[in-house]
Amino acid sequence: MNFKIFIIGDKLEKFFIEAIKEYEKRLSRYCKIQLINVKNEAELLKKLPDKSYKIQLIISGENISSEALAEKLNNFAVNSTPDIAIVIGESNFSCDEQLSLCSMEMSLGLQATVIFEQIYRAYRIINKEPYHK
Amino acid sequence: MNFKIFIIGDKLEKFFIEAIKEYEKRLSRYCKIQLINVKNEAELLKKLPDKSYKIQLIISGENISSEALAEKLNNFAVNSTPDIAIVIGESNFSCDEQLSLCSMEMSLGLQATVIFEQIYRAYRIINKEPYHK
């Protein structure tokens, strides 16, 4: 699986970049994952891979549990949907699905950290591995 | 207002401690807030201030929005409830209220980061100040 996590907006704060780097390292045994910071929707549309399954993280999206996310990622693997793009930040681009992380508004960096942690958690669930910390 | 955020469990990872330190600094103009790492429930019960209003963060708790949290904190101030204890981690201690950050399971460090960010966001909302990043 190949994840591209797009953030529309300013560069993230240092401590969130550090957290994301750590999850990127932990995820390297399960998948390819990359954080891509874009300035605006125009740059997003230019960089968004055509063939990817596109998920927008938005507060009004469907609220799912960690187990449901793990099942979703597992289904992508089973159904040969290897390229997933996840977009954080305001945009009206045409996506396949809208998910919500939380009923609270969160900063872009925090949202990115949460989605990296959740993808890592999903792989631990899929592989029936314990999740520490 | 005086917040004590209790984490029951292992020491947090470095990048989450860095994130929390930053929010602690930003919050210093609005309130006193302190992160307290305890090893287990026994240590929690020893350190939990008797007179504080006790909130447990738990996935089955009430899901609230950032605006609702801001209103809640504002009501505490209005009703002279200055001491708030927020507990993260498994425990059957007797609390006044259970809140849920998210329908997803999150690591202790991530939960702590989210609650610090949300308290900061709440003060920005209460004071009608813009929230950047």
Side-chain angles (χ1 to χ4, degrees):
Chain A
M1 300 272 286
N2 187 2
F3 294 89
K4 289 189 170 165
I5 315 293
F6 290 91
I7 311 275
I8 311 171
D10 291 338
K11 282 240 178 330
L12 304 189
E13 288 160 301
K14 193 171 159 276
F15 45 87
F16 287 132
I17 292 177
E18 289 303 316
I20 289 166
K21 264 191 201 157
E22 175 61 31
Y23 285 111
E24 217 174 273
K25 209 170 78 185
R26 293 185 194 173
L27 277 164
S28 62
R29 49 186 287 220
Y30 302 113
C31 63
K32 276 177 70 177
I33 189 164
Q34 192 186 357
L35 183 75
I36 302 166
N37 221 143
V38 294
K39 278 186 287 295
N40 48 39
E41 195 176 84
E43 195 185 342
L44 170 74
L45 295 177
K46 215 182 283 177
K47 294 195 172 168
L48 207 55
D50 272 353
K51 285 185 187 157
S52 61
Y53 185 86
K54 298 169 191 71
I55 298 173
Q56 183 174 26
L57 293 188
I58 188 164
I59 206 159
S60 58
E62 185 199 356
N63 233 304
I64 61 167
S65 67
S66 301
E67 285 70 23
L69 181 71
E71 205 188 316
K72 198 179 276 292
L73 297 191
N74 202 29
N75 286 342
F76 287 143
V78 171
N79 298 324
S80 300
T81 310
D83 295 308
I84 314 293
I86 299 179
V87 176
I88 302 171
E90 277 183 47
S91 169
N92 294 316
F93 80 105
S94 150
C95 65
D96 296 298
E97 190 169 5
Q98 291 184 323
L99 294 180
S100 171
L101 288 179
C102 191
S103 56
M104 291 170 157
E105 306 252 356
M106 294 192 292
S107 70
L108 295 177
L110 189 51
Q111 288 185 60
T113 306
V114 171
I115 195 67
F116 269 80
E117 199 256 12
Q118 288 301 318
I119 293 172
Y120 175 63
R121 188 176 288 272
Y123 275 105
R124 303 297 287 186
I125 294 171
I126 291 169
N127 291 293
K128 299 187 172 53
E129 291 165 326
Y131 187 90
H132 30 258
K133 282 194 183 172
Chain B
M1 300 273 286
N2 186 3
F3 294 90
K4 289 189 170 164
I5 315 293
F6 290 90
I7 311 275
I8 311 171
D10 291 338
K11 283 241 181 328
L12 304 189
E13 288 160 299
K14 193 170 158 279
F15 45 87
F16 287 132
I17 292 177
E18 289 303 315
I20 289 165
K21 264 191 201 156
E22 175 60 30
Y23 286 111
E24 218 173 273
K25 209 171 77 187
R26 292 184 195 174
L27 277 164
S28 62
R29 50 186 287 218
Y30 303 113
C31 63
K32 274 177 70 176
I33 189 163
Q34 190 186 358
L35 182 75
I36 302 166
N37 219 144
V38 295
K39 279 188 285 296
N40 49 39
E41 193 175 84
E43 196 185 343
L44 171 73
L45 296 177
K46 216 181 284 174
K47 296 196 171 168
L48 207 54
D50 273 352
K51 285 185 189 157
S52 61
Y53 185 87
K54 298 169 189 71
I55 297 173
Q56 183 173 26
L57 293 188
I58 189 164
I59 205 159
S60 58
E62 185 200 352
N63 234 305
I64 62 168
S65 67
S66 301
E67 284 71 23
L69 181 70
E71 205 187 319
K72 199 180 274 292
L73 297 191
N74 203 28
N75 286 342
F76 287 144
V78 171
N79 298 323
S80 300
T81 310
D83 295 308
I84 313 294
I86 299 179
V87 177
I88 302 171
E90 278 184 47
S91 169
N92 294 316
F93 81 105
S94 150
C95 64
D96 297 299
E97 189 168 8
Q98 291 184 323
L99 295 181
S100 171
L101 287 179
C102 190
S103 57
M104 292 171 156
E105 305 253 355
M106 294 191 293
S107 70
L108 295 177
L110 189 52
Q111 288 184 60
T113 306
V114 171
I115 194 67
F116 269 79
E117 199 255 11
Q118 287 302 317
I119 294 172
Y120 175 64
R121 187 176 288 272
Y123 276 105
R124 303 296 287 186
I125 293 171
I126 292 168
N127 292 293
K128 299 189 172 51
E129 290 164 327
Y131 188 90
H132 31 254
K133 281 194 182 175

